[in-house]
Amino acid sequence: MLVVLGVGGPFVYIHFFNGSTPAALSLPTASSSAPGGTAPGGTATASSAAAGSLAGTYSVGSGSVVGYRVNEVLLGQGTTAVGRTTSVTGHLTIAGTTATAATATAATFSVPMATVHSDKSQRDAQFDGRIMDVAQYPTGTFTLTSPIDLAPLPATGVVKSYTADGKLTLHGVTRTVRFTLTAERGTAKDGGAQIEVAGHIPVLFSDYGIQNPSVGGFVTTQDDGLLEFLLIFSKA
């Protein structure tokens, strides 16, 4: 009986007491969009009416989420640690059909690292202290470094994929990154223009001087994870 409890305990904890793992951040309509055509600058996954101009400056608004996703092994049982924050700031400027990357107008988003929380206070204490040292390195930031050509502009409801190049700053270290994001134009509740952007950035902990989150022999993690984001940009 003790052997059964010893082996089954982590399984019971993970699957019955630890709750379900939140789904990856993504565009709400991405999985249900109807098939569409392809075009330079991105791949359309839906069809809709003709597109209008998107030019202007946008700010990150309500509904935006940024966080991490890291695979863990708890006494031989696999699980996924997820921490998130809704305290996100940032902006995006579109000139003509291009998301700009000029110094003053580059697309960017930032989060106060101390606001990132998971479903476990013990994990959060490790994250805030020895792992991310949020007192010493309070902010995480991504900044676009190469413009993104959006042409031809998608219509409302069309989800498109783009390649983004930028600089990610975590734990006081800045690295160049390249990843794929998806974007969809929509309309805010006040009738204004809105763009939703989602994606994830692979993070190798050693690249940023981040300690592996493993805790003794009790919890072990991979040496990398994902920074995931869902950003709601509303036209200023």
Side-chain angles (χ1 to χ4, degrees):
M1 183 65 171
L2 290 178
V3 173
V4 172
L5 288 175
V7 174
F11 179 88
V12 172
Y13 172 79
I14 291 169
H15 295 281
F16 294 95
F17 297 103
N18 202 34
S20 59
T21 300
L25 295 174
S26 63
L27 296 182
T29 60
S31 61
S32 59
S33 298
T38 61
T43 302
T45 61
S47 58
S48 188
S53 174
L54 281 174
T57 299
Y58 298 74
S59 297
V60 172
S62 176
S64 298
V65 184
V66 174
Y68 66 80
R69 181 174 293 266
V70 179
N71 290 330
E72 294 180 335
V73 176
L74 172 61
L75 295 179
Q77 296 292 330
T79 185
T80 301
V82 175
R84 290 177 175 171
T85 178
T86 57
S87 298
V88 190
T89 58
H91 58 264
L92 163 69
T93 298
I94 297 177
T97 60
T98 301
T100 66
T103 301
T105 60
T108 184
F109 65 86
S110 299
V111 301
M113 299 302 291
T115 66
V116 178
H117 298 300
S118 70
D119 62 343
K120 291 289 177 288
S121 59
Q122 299 94 328
R123 180 189 292 131
D124 295 341
Q126 293 289 326
F127 179 90
D128 291 347
R130 70 178 183 88
I131 298 172
M132 297 304 297
D133 192 0
V134 300
Q136 180 71 25
Y137 309 109
T139 307
T141 302
F142 169 80
T143 302
L144 190 70
T145 56
S146 296
I148 298 177
D149 182 11
L150 306 176
L153 292 176
T156 299
V158 173
V159 178
K160 294 186 68 176
S161 297
Y162 302 93
T163 298
D165 292 289
K167 290 184 177 181
L168 177 65
T169 300
L170 292 172
H171 199 246
V173 177
T174 300
R175 298 288 187 187
T176 58
V177 293
R178 168 174 283 190
F179 58 96
T180 299
L181 58 80
T182 56
E184 178 184 7
R185 71 187 297 174
T187 303
K189 292 182 179 180
D190 62 3
Q194 180 173 279
I195 302 174
E196 298 187 26
V197 180
H200 60 262
I201 306 173
V203 174
L204 182 63
F205 300 140
S206 60
D207 282 349
Y208 297 86
I210 298 171
Q211 289 191 37
N212 186 289
S214 298
V215 180
F218 183 66
V219 178
T220 58
T221 72
Q222 295 180 329
D223 60 3
D224 62 338
L226 295 177
L227 184 158
E228 56 181 2
F229 59 88
L230 172 61
L231 306 174
I232 313 298
F233 288 100
S234 297
K235 198 167 186 179

